[in-house]
Amino acid sequence: MRLLHVPIVALCCLLAAGCAAPERPVLVDPNATPETQALFVNLQRIARDHVLFGHQDALAYGYQWFNEPGRSDVKEVAGSYPAVYGWELADIELGHEENIDGVNFDLMRGYIQQGYQRGGVITVSWHMNNPVSGGNAWDTTRAVPAVLPGGSHHDVFLQGLDRFAAFIQSLEVGEGADRHLVPVIFRPWHEQSGHWFWWGAPHTDSLDYQRLYRFTVEYLRDVKGVHNLLYAYSPNSLSEYPREQYWSWYPGDAYVDILGVDDYYTMHDGYGNIGDGIAAFSQQLRWLVEQAEARGKIPALTETGLDRLEISDWFTSKLLASIKADSVASRIAYLLVWRNTNFARESRDHFFAPYPGHASAEDFVRFTQDPLILLEDELPDLYTMPRRR
Ligand code: BMA
């Protein structure tokens, strides 16, 4: 009888649902840690019905405070920490103690550990200083060919990647057998379609950009043995170029886990749109979701926001309206609004989430109460691999 040849264990698994094998996602890193794999699978699942809300630098400072443990403007307005925490690593490559915005890297490690241990999702961006000129990320002195293997500044670049890797590999939590690294979504060389960074479209050719992205992944994964990263690809707004150009800089499916876009303006009428910006933006998000789902990737609005929130119902009338205008568009996994600079330190208004007392606070609460939008207190466990269904 054929059945007799089926190993006992396999037979058990066929009969008992509880014995079903866990899903194993196809990731950029086949050796990604179990928690990193679980994050991918859970984000992919949750994206069908929810969008996680994220805030850059949420725990480090807010409009009216700086480095006060436990605080977050989002929490003080909406009652919960954000579901996603964005962090910025610019200046880590120089061996500095603080990042470009004055956030101490040791404190940042602590904020990352806290956010993760509460169940939140961590993502990092990196406005790396220009390795050729020594200027900042916005110094567009030609640098991409110089940092690639064989280039004049390859060694400086490697030193930067080494320091980045050391930080990512220091994000340890747990004791004994439970000791593990915090999974992180890394968004290398973002907004490359724009002109403002040294890796941006006018300052390199697209093949060199792809080499830069692939080299970064291969060096971190294969040379440094970093296995707690998911990789996100995030050009700037799809309003700025023909859609197919989104792929011009694409390093390939083998190098990307998350398909993103950074878009601050499309949802506003008159920004490169004839007529309704909300319709235009929701169609772009729909396209992004379709592309990601067809490739087994996760779609995300990797950066967005309205600086200074001068439209007091922006969160519901623009952002939520755009996401909800199309049922496919609403399958993005998360969105991240940029940072709330501390007014006293930076002497300027530059904030993207409301703080207590701000005119948009009530609208933001309505936004977060929408069943589509999740803050941290509504998250399921994202770090345990679900069983196949
Ligand atoms: C930009 C601005 C800058 C900041 C940089 C990196 O968008 O917020 O002030 O230094 O991001 O965080």
Side-chain angles (χ1 to χ4, degrees):
M1 231 170 82
R2 285 177 74 91
L3 245 178
L4 287 179
H5 298 290
V6 178
I8 298 291
V9 175
L11 192 58
C12 279
C13 288
L14 283 173
L15 296 175
C19 203
E23 285 184 31
R24 232 191 111 80
V26 178
L27 298 182
V28 170
D29 185 353
N31 298 315
T33 63
E35 294 78 15
T36 308
Q37 292 184 31
L39 175 63
F40 182 90
V41 171
N42 285 310
L43 276 181
Q44 205 167 37
R45 286 190 170 199
I46 208 167
R48 294 176 201 152
D49 303 309
H50 296 289
V51 178
L52 276 55
F53 176 79
H55 189 205
Q56 182 77 358
D57 284 353
L59 305 176
Y61 55 85
Y63 186 71
Q64 293 148 319
W65 56 275
F66 195 90
N67 187 24
E68 292 181 30
R71 295 194 70 175
S72 143
D73 282 352
V74 167
K75 181 167 186 272
E76 286 168 27
V77 170
S80 165
Y81 292 109
V84 177
Y85 299 95
W87 296 103
E88 169 56 44
L89 295 191
D91 290 357
I92 198 138
E93 68 277 12
L94 304 177
H96 289 187
E97 284 177 8
E98 291 180 353
N99 82 354
I100 184 174
D101 303 312
V103 180
N104 176 284
F105 286 115
D106 289 332
L107 293 178
M108 188 190 295
R109 180 183 303 106
Y111 300 138
I112 289 175
Q113 290 159 333
Q114 287 160 29
Y116 168 71
Q117 283 173 318
R118 283 195 300 257
V121 175
I122 311 300
T123 178
V124 301
S125 50
W126 191 10
H127 292 76
M128 188 199 243
N129 289 274
N130 186 316
V132 170
S133 65
N136 63 23
W138 294 265
D139 177 334
T140 55
T141 305
R142 199 169 165 77
V144 175
V147 304
L148 290 171
S152 55
H153 289 70
H154 186 56
D155 288 352
V156 185
F157 183 61
L158 290 189
Q159 188 184 49
L161 288 177
D162 289 347
R163 287 175 167 152
F164 176 92
F167 182 77
I168 297 295
Q169 289 175 317
S170 76
L171 301 174
E172 229 180 24
V173 289
E175 299 291 329
D178 184 42
R179 224 176 156 86
H180 63 278
L181 293 170
V182 176
V184 172
I185 298 171
F186 176 34
R187 207 155 58 87
W189 321 122
H190 65 299
E191 298 176 9
Q192 66 274 28
S193 53
H195 59 80
W196 40 92
F197 300 134
W198 56 262
W199 56 88
H203 319 296
T204 176
D205 68 56
S206 54
L207 285 181
D208 275 350
Y209 176 86
Q210 290 168 355
R211 287 186 192 110
L212 174 72
Y213 196 115
R214 289 188 199 129
F215 180 86
T216 304
V217 171
E218 287 169 358
Y219 187 76
L220 293 173
R221 182 190 61 192
D222 307 335
V223 179
K224 302 306 292 183
V226 178
H227 297 303
N228 50 328
L229 292 178
L230 295 174
Y231 292 89
Y233 173 74
S234 59
N236 208 51
S237 172
L238 287 154
S239 291
E240 296 175 342
Y241 44 86
R243 241 171 240 186
E244 60 277 14
Q245 215 173 305
Y246 180 87
W247 306 112
S248 323
W249 312 277
Y250 192 58
D253 283 349
Y255 293 85
V256 172
D257 298 307
I258 293 171
L259 284 187
V261 71
D262 285 11
D263 194 317
Y264 287 80
Y265 301 111
T266 300
M267 64 194 90
H268 297 276
D269 301 346
Y271 180 74
N273 303 300
I274 301 166
D276 185 354
I278 288 171
F281 191 40
S282 80
Q283 286 314 298
Q284 292 174 10
L285 290 177
R286 179 191 176 98
W287 179 85
L288 185 74
V289 170
E290 287 169 348
Q291 297 300 316
E293 288 180 354
R295 289 173 163 75
K297 310 291 179 196
I298 292 174
L301 178 51
T302 37
E303 265 187 54
T304 190
L306 177 67
D307 198 357
R308 299 182 301 282
L309 285 168
E310 278 161 0
I311 303 171
S312 63
D313 63 352
W314 182 84
F315 274 98
T316 56
S317 75
K318 298 291 182 192
L319 182 58
L320 191 60
S322 303
I323 298 169
K324 289 183 85 166
D326 185 284
S327 62
V328 176
S330 67
R331 298 207 296 257
I332 53 168
Y334 67 89
L335 63 89
L336 177 96
V337 301
W338 206 240
R339 64 200 194 99
N340 280 14
T341 54
N342 178 258
F343 185 79
R345 283 175 64 106
E346 298 200 27
S347 307
R348 59 170 174 152
D349 276 337
H350 178 53
F351 58 88
F352 296 80
Y355 50 85
H358 187 269
S360 70
E362 258 177 54
D363 181 67
F364 181 68
V365 172
R366 271 196 297 279
F367 165 80
T368 60
Q369 284 171 346
D370 190 285
L372 185 67
I373 305 296
L374 298 188
L375 294 181
E376 188 180 80
D377 65 351
E378 298 164 296
L379 289 177
D381 175 9
L382 296 174
Y383 297 102
T384 304
M385 190 65 89
R387 297 275 155 189
R388 269 189 217 278
R389 269 190 265 153

